[in-house]
Amino acid sequence: MHTITALVFDDFETLDLFGPIEMFGSLPEHYRIQFTSMAGGIIRSKHGVPMQTVAVSELAYQTDIFLVPGGLGTRQLVYNHSFLQTLTTLTDEADWVLSVCTGSALLAKSGVLNGKRATSNKMAWQWVISQSNKVNWVKQARWVIDGKFYTSSGVSAGMDMALGFIADRHGVDRAHQVAQHTEFRWQENCDVDDFYRP
């Protein structure tokens, strides 16, 4: 059983989080999920969806898979030293780190992606890559894998990445079963990016 820790913050992008959670939640025999925030309590997404979180200091389980969503809230958090330090600590603890959309900007700003290949939301591309010139940014990609890091493009790409992660761990047939169960048309080639513009 692997524990997924999702670190959320006010104004996170709703589907960045709940898209991958839908996929991983389809395999309860393999994954348990805990939602955390810096101080705990109620966190609201960009669309006003409230969710209960526990403080990072009170997590019940050690993090195996660290999930970082993006969203408008990332714009301020790149300047929040304590948040970035927490991000670094959870990254160091985890076996795998998955980011969706501008979540990779937070990872880049913290320095954990230095020397790594990564991607992000194409609509926010210039802002994201301005957070670090030490990352090997890959613009044309649905998601990118480098070591323990999986970074995806914008919003819905997190679901493609999550299924890719499931395929890497449990086989492509299992990933297809999850996609079928959720009636999701999985883009299983991480290099095919319909939203890339040169």
Side-chain angles (χ1 to χ4, degrees):
M1 176 73 70
H2 294 295
T3 298
I4 300 172
T5 299
L7 177 62
V8 295
F9 43 84
D10 284 324
D11 286 333
F12 72 89
E13 186 69 29
T14 310
L15 196 63
D16 283 9
L17 177 67
F18 293 117
I21 292 303
E22 178 71 34
M23 303 306 170
F24 288 118
S26 298
L27 300 173
E29 69 276 21
H30 294 297
Y31 301 105
R32 66 179 160 220
I33 303 159
Q34 53 187 4
F35 300 98
T36 190
S37 63
M38 292 294 285
I42 299 293
I43 296 292
R44 285 179 169 80
S45 78
K46 171 188 169 185
H47 304 100
V49 178
M51 61 179 301
Q52 184 67 46
T53 67
V54 298
V56 171
S57 60
E58 298 174 0
L59 285 171
Y61 303 102
Q62 181 170 323
T63 300
D64 299 312
I65 301 164
F66 182 33
L67 175 61
V68 185
L72 286 175
T74 61
R75 301 306 197 276
Q76 291 76 43
L77 288 172
V78 293
Y79 303 109
N80 186 321
H81 177 75
S82 61
F83 181 89
L84 295 176
Q85 184 57 54
T86 296
L87 197 78
T88 300
T89 300
L90 287 168
T91 294
D92 289 345
E93 180 181 317
D95 294 323
W96 296 284
V97 179
L98 282 57
S99 73
V100 185
C101 193
T102 54
S104 60
L106 298 173
L107 295 174
K109 189 72 171 186
S110 73
V112 299
L113 287 180
N114 287 358
K116 301 288 186 181
R117 298 170 69 252
T119 195
S120 193
N121 188 318
K122 304 314 182 296
M123 295 291 288
W125 186 256
Q126 291 304 319
W127 177 78
V128 171
I129 66 173
S130 73
Q131 302 309 311
S132 176
N133 60 7
K134 297 178 181 178
V135 179
N136 299 321
W137 294 108
V138 182
K139 190 172 185 182
Q140 186 174 0
R142 190 65 172 159
W143 75 94
V144 168
I145 307 167
D146 193 331
K148 73 177 189 177
F149 292 93
Y150 283 61
T151 57
S152 77
S153 188
V155 193
S156 64
M159 294 185 286
D160 287 326
M161 176 189 70
L163 288 169
F165 183 90
I166 289 168
D168 291 344
R169 309 278 89 74
H170 309 289
V172 69
D173 289 346
R174 195 72 180 96
H176 277 297
Q177 289 171 7
V178 174
Q180 182 70 26
H181 173 74
T182 54
E183 295 195 3
F184 180 68
R185 191 180 297 277
W186 176 32
Q187 173 48 263
E188 58 184 290
N189 186 338
C190 64
D191 296 321
V192 175
D193 184 359
D194 292 337
F195 300 92
Y196 167 75
R197 299 293 180 270

